[in-house]
Amino acid sequence: QVQLVESGGGLVQTGGSLRLSCAASGRLTSNYYMAWLRQAPGKEREFVAGIFWNGGSPYYADSVKGRFTISRVIAKNTIQLQMNNLKPEDTAVYYCGLGARGPSMRATDYTYWGQGTQVTVSS
């Protein structure tokens, strides 16, 4: 059984930075794909960034390219999302998801989910 635990959310001003972490436990192989998705009130869950569990092929939504960086911390079995130059429209609950269908922007392609962490960007 796979478990995902997110951490690192919080309140930050416009232009600030936050780093989210997703610690994974369980039986994971390199073909698993892990992603960060976010959900704002009244909106659907949307893809933010994703990466293979072995750290390969990072991919970003257009809205965060150049500002967010996803990476794998091998020693800690953790995926991190470094978020810079945050904007009020980045405010949402951020979830890490894990799936075995390869890179996907669809929330339905992810089987395992963390509990979510709130990110709030004030203007």
Side-chain angles (χ1 to χ4, degrees):
Q1 184 72 10
V2 174
Q3 289 188 324
L4 304 175
V5 179
E6 298 110 335
S7 62
L11 172 65
V12 66
Q13 292 183 334
T14 297
S17 298
L18 284 173
R19 180 183 296 170
L20 305 183
S21 294
C22 179
S25 61
R27 189 172 182 178
L28 298 168
T29 57
S30 60
N31 64 304
Y32 273 102
Y33 195 78
M34 184 171 281
W36 287 96
L37 294 89
R38 65 188 181 188
Q39 190 165 17
K43 295 187 177 181
E44 293 186 351
R45 196 167 294 189
E46 65 170 359
F47 177 87
V48 175
I51 195 168
F52 277 101
W53 182 242
N54 65 6
S57 303
Y59 186 77
Y60 301 91
D62 288 343
S63 59
V64 306
K65 279 181 184 175
R67 300 188 297 124
F68 292 10
T69 302
I70 190 170
S71 61
R72 165 90 191 275
V73 182
I74 295 175
K76 296 183 178 181
N77 258 14
T78 297
I79 297 288
Q80 291 186 336
L81 184 69
Q82 177 67 41
M83 306 185 294
N84 298 328
N85 191 21
L86 283 160
K87 304 175 181 180
E89 51 263 43
D90 295 317
T91 295
V93 177
Y94 283 69
Y95 298 89
C96 62
L98 184 72
R101 295 189 178 185
S104 174
M105 300 184 76
R106 298 185 302 183
T108 52
D109 283 337
Y110 295 90
T111 304
Y112 301 99
W113 292 95
Q115 80 284 2
T117 185
Q118 177 70 46
V119 172
T120 303
V121 185
S122 63
S123 58

